[in-house]
Amino acid sequence: MDSPESLMDDGEIADIFKEFEDGYEEDRMDDDEEQEKVQSGKSVQAKARGLINRLTAQSMSYVASEFQKLYSANSRSTINGVLLGCIDSSLISKTAVAKRKIVAELMLLVSYLNHKISQNIGASLVHHLVAKFEQLYKYESCDEDKRLDNIALCLANLYIIGLISANAIYEITQRICSPEDFRAKSVELLLILLKNIGFQLRKDNPALMRQLIISSNEQCKQFKQNKDVDSRIEFMLETLGAIKNNNMSKIKNYGCDIDKPTIESTLKSLTKRIRLPEALSDATYNDMLESANFHLLERRFEREETTKPTSEQQFVGTKTERKICKALGFNKPAEKIIFSALLKVTDYAEASNILIGFGNKYCSDVMVVCLHVAIHEKKYNSFYYDLINNLCKYHRKYKMAAKFAIQDKIRSLSDMPTKRVEIFKVLTFELIKSDAIPITVLKSVEWANMNESTRDYLIYLLKSISKLPEAECLKIMLKSDKRSSFANAMRTFTKCFLEDCELFH
């Protein structure tokens, strides 16, 4: 019987061997690529661990800049994972409570990177800590396990730094006080939080502190029958009483587990302030547990709109925020939350990231709030120009929303006080000059029936545009068709009120 090779000619056999060799080469290349990725991941991890080992308050700036380079050279999710792994191995120990200086320095690093690069970094850490806390608290941890204590210390440090809000801490304490899981360990965790940040919580939000005292007392009364934890409960009740009466001297070693001087001095050298502005939203415990994107409020907007409660129930803010919202005429829940977010930012880049996070669905609300707040300032503030300009360049929807919001303001110029009209003039000119909005925004002007405020507004705008360099001026005016009725209306206006204007010569 003939062999298989004898039934084929030499050319066919050669083709088969070539296909086999090509497939082998491809597999080998794939294996090489995978090995390179593994090696690259290991080198990144080694570099990150080396930076963490060198981290001190004095080297914070250098270590942060090196991490910024790592974030720019690799995907954020990769570096976030490496950073969280370093924190787990350094701080979340099962046998001992972490040293307060190490906790403070690592939480400072994450907060500073969150402040400088992206809010996703801080949100990922909070989500990671809360998820680990839930797993240990509900299923795994025994009373001798120190991992929960270390997580509570990390969250307390993040609160002192300013990365998370009083509301987030209150949500965590509510989880600790839940009747189904309340035990001796719960008392210890509450003591850690109260001893370290109790008075700061009372200062930031007295109403939440009062609710915490009530819920803690209720749980302790039910649990007091257990003699093993009776002394700890008594001590916790004394601590709660001291916080309630604002008697700091009654609590020995208050704040001893948090290195507050290091936090304040380091932040002052890095950001010129002793506490970061709260960067992450007042999310619920379940929001923080479900996703690392809990700081983006789009899902919470949708939840509020589907339930449709009253306006007071929809927006949870401080008394001052609610008062300002009422004075500015913000009635929609979305407008109130956007305004509340603007109050907490430090620069236009941070504000842009937060507002973009709300989603394109709220472009019009974002622009209405930004414009309305801008003209209610005491004087022109370039922050709002930078913010609106940045959003307009990010997506066309923001550009259209800005155009419509400005047109609405133009129609109501006669109702505006002179001071606000002056601010609105400058803001509109700067936005037209930077090409954030086109000159056609003036189509909303009623040229035939014009009031004095609108006339002064147009005179300022057209005169300012005419004083720009010729190339810039031409670029702006090309946005409108020379033969259109709008261009003819502007031409007539300049002849009547701006004799020296050369826009249409």
Side-chain angles (χ1 to χ4, degrees):
M1 185 176 178
D2 295 333
S3 65
E5 286 83 355
S6 65
L7 300 175
M8 303 179 191
D9 58 26
D10 293 341
E12 289 175 339
I13 293 171
D15 289 341
I16 290 169
F17 273 106
K18 189 174 184 305
E19 287 177 10
F20 175 77
E21 287 173 358
D22 290 344
Y24 177 75
E25 285 294 327
E26 287 177 7
D27 291 341
R28 193 172 67 182
M29 287 173 67
D30 290 341
D31 290 341
D32 290 343
E33 286 178 6
E34 286 180 11
Q35 287 178 0
E36 283 179 12
K37 286 180 181 177
V38 170
Q39 289 296 327
S40 175
K42 285 182 178 178
S43 65
V44 168
Q45 196 168 12
K47 188 169 183 181
R49 286 189 181 279
L51 290 169
I52 294 293
N53 290 337
R54 279 184 279 173
L55 181 64
T56 62
Q58 290 73 29
S59 65
M60 184 70 66
S61 181
Y62 167 74
V63 173
S65 66
E66 289 299 309
F67 264 102
Q68 283 179 285
K69 290 175 186 176
L70 284 176
Y71 272 104
S72 60
N74 302 274
S75 69
R76 283 185 182 176
S77 60
T78 301
I79 306 301
N80 280 351
V82 170
L83 191 56
L84 294 177
C86 292
I87 288 169
D88 273 355
S89 60
S90 302
L91 302 182
I92 316 299
S93 170
K94 193 173 184 177
T95 54
V97 176
K99 292 182 179 179
R100 65 178 195 150
K101 194 171 181 63
I102 298 173
V103 178
E105 287 165 353
L106 270 170
M107 295 303 104
L108 271 169
L109 175 65
V110 174
S111 302
Y112 185 64
L113 292 173
N114 180 85
H115 180 64
K116 280 290 180 183
I117 300 174
S118 168
Q119 289 189 350
N120 181 255
I121 298 169
S124 296
L125 174 63
V126 175
H127 166 67
H128 177 73
L129 291 174
V130 169
K132 204 169 187 67
F133 181 90
E134 176 67 20
Q135 183 187 7
L136 293 170
Y137 190 67
K138 193 167 185 179
Y139 301 110
E140 296 179 22
S141 180
C142 60
D143 290 349
E144 290 76 26
D145 194 336
K146 297 297 179 185
R147 286 179 291 180
L148 282 171
D149 304 58
N150 287 318
I151 292 171
L153 273 178
C154 289
L155 292 167
N157 273 271
L158 290 176
Y159 173 63
I160 289 294
I161 291 165
L163 186 69
I164 58 176
S165 64
N167 191 69
I169 294 292
Y170 175 69
E171 288 283 337
I172 292 161
T173 57
Q174 286 296 94
R175 175 66 186 94
I176 294 170
C177 290
S178 57
E180 61 271 15
D181 294 314
F182 198 83
R183 56 185 187 274
K185 192 68 179 177
S186 308
V187 179
E188 286 185 18
L189 293 173
L190 284 171
L191 273 173
I192 288 170
L193 292 173
L194 291 172
K195 274 182 65 181
N196 290 290
I197 56 174
F199 286 101
Q200 187 67 45
L201 275 171
R202 185 184 187 277
K203 181 181 175 183
D204 289 348
N205 201 322
L208 287 182
M209 193 65 227
R210 181 175 176 275
Q211 291 174 13
L212 172 59
I213 290 169
I214 293 168
S215 59
S216 300
N217 279 327
E218 287 175 357
Q219 287 302 321
C220 289
K221 284 174 185 176
Q222 294 175 10
F223 199 63
K224 207 173 178 181
Q225 297 170 355
N226 189 338
K227 294 180 181 179
D228 294 336
V229 292
D230 193 46
S231 59
R232 278 178 284 180
I233 287 178
E234 287 296 335
F235 181 60
M236 192 181 79
L237 292 174
E238 286 177 14
T239 305
L240 286 169
I243 293 168
K244 183 181 177 182
N245 299 321
N246 202 21
N247 187 2
M248 197 177 291
S249 61
K250 201 170 183 179
I251 302 176
K252 293 179 181 178
N253 300 323
Y254 169 72
C256 61
D257 294 328
I258 291 181
D259 197 350
K260 202 169 180 181
T262 297
I263 289 171
E264 291 182 351
S265 61
T266 307
L267 281 177
K268 199 168 183 181
S269 65
L270 292 172
T271 63
K272 309 302 178 191
R273 61 181 77 204
I274 61 170
R275 200 177 185 195
L276 288 176
E278 286 172 7
L280 302 180
S281 59
D282 290 343
T284 65
Y285 183 82
N286 287 332
D287 286 337
M288 291 186 284
L289 187 62
E290 283 173 12
S291 169
N293 296 321
F294 68 88
H295 60 300
L296 304 179
L297 302 184
E298 188 168 2
R299 286 183 305 157
R300 290 162 66 195
F301 272 137
E302 289 169 1
R303 186 162 66 234
E304 284 174 349
E305 288 182 357
T306 52
T307 54
K308 292 185 180 178
T310 62
S311 60
E312 286 299 316
Q313 292 172 325
Q314 285 176 320
F315 172 65
V316 179
T318 64
K319 187 178 179 181
T320 307
E321 285 175 359
R322 291 196 295 271
K323 191 176 179 181
I324 297 171
C325 284
K326 188 175 181 181
L328 289 172
F330 295 143
N331 298 315
K332 292 168 67 177
E335 291 176 345
K336 292 178 181 180
I337 295 175
I338 290 163
F339 174 68
S340 177
L342 284 178
L343 291 177
K344 297 174 183 176
V345 298
T346 53
D347 54 39
Y348 78 91
E350 184 185 350
S352 299
N353 289 333
I354 292 173
L355 298 180
I356 288 166
F358 291 163
N360 291 340
K361 183 180 176 182
Y362 298 97
C363 290
S364 59
D365 292 317
V366 165
M367 285 303 170
V368 166
V369 171
C370 290
L371 194 63
H372 196 66
V373 175
I375 65 173
H376 278 78
E377 290 277 357
K378 290 182 180 179
K379 59 181 181 179
Y380 172 71
N381 188 344
S382 60
F383 165 82
Y384 297 100
Y385 156 71
D386 290 327
L387 176 58
I388 295 170
N389 184 42
N390 198 36
L391 291 171
C392 289
K393 288 179 179 177
Y394 170 74
H395 200 285
R396 186 174 176 272
K397 282 191 175 183
Y398 287 102
K399 194 165 190 169
M400 296 301 295
K403 181 181 174 182
F404 294 139
I406 288 171
Q407 286 181 331
D408 288 341
K409 292 293 180 189
I410 290 171
R411 293 187 188 99
S412 60
L413 275 171
S414 58
D415 302 325
M416 276 191 209
T418 308
K419 189 178 177 181
R420 290 180 197 161
V421 175
E422 293 297 321
I423 295 171
F424 184 55
K425 283 179 190 176
V426 180
L427 181 60
T428 311
F429 167 66
E430 292 296 335
L431 290 171
I432 291 173
K433 181 183 170 183
S434 65
D435 199 29
I437 55 171
I439 188 71
T440 51
V441 74
L442 301 177
K443 282 185 177 181
S444 61
V445 173
E446 295 182 12
W447 300 92
N449 186 22
M450 193 184 299
N451 55 57
E452 189 177 345
S453 296
T454 308
R455 187 194 66 200
D456 294 342
Y457 171 78
L458 288 170
I459 289 172
Y460 174 84
L461 272 185
L462 297 174
K463 189 180 283 186
S464 300
I465 293 169
S466 67
K467 290 178 182 177
L468 292 173
E470 189 176 348
E472 284 187 43
C473 186
L474 185 62
K475 185 181 176 182
I476 291 169
M477 298 311 295
L478 282 175
K479 299 286 182 182
S480 65
D481 186 357
K482 287 184 179 180
R483 291 170 293 183
S484 65
S485 57
F486 168 64
N488 288 331
M490 280 203 298
R491 192 178 290 110
T492 306
F493 182 85
T494 53
K495 284 180 181 177
C496 294
F497 299 103
L498 295 163
E499 295 179 0
D500 300 331
C501 182
E502 298 181 356
L503 276 177
F504 297 96
H505 293 316

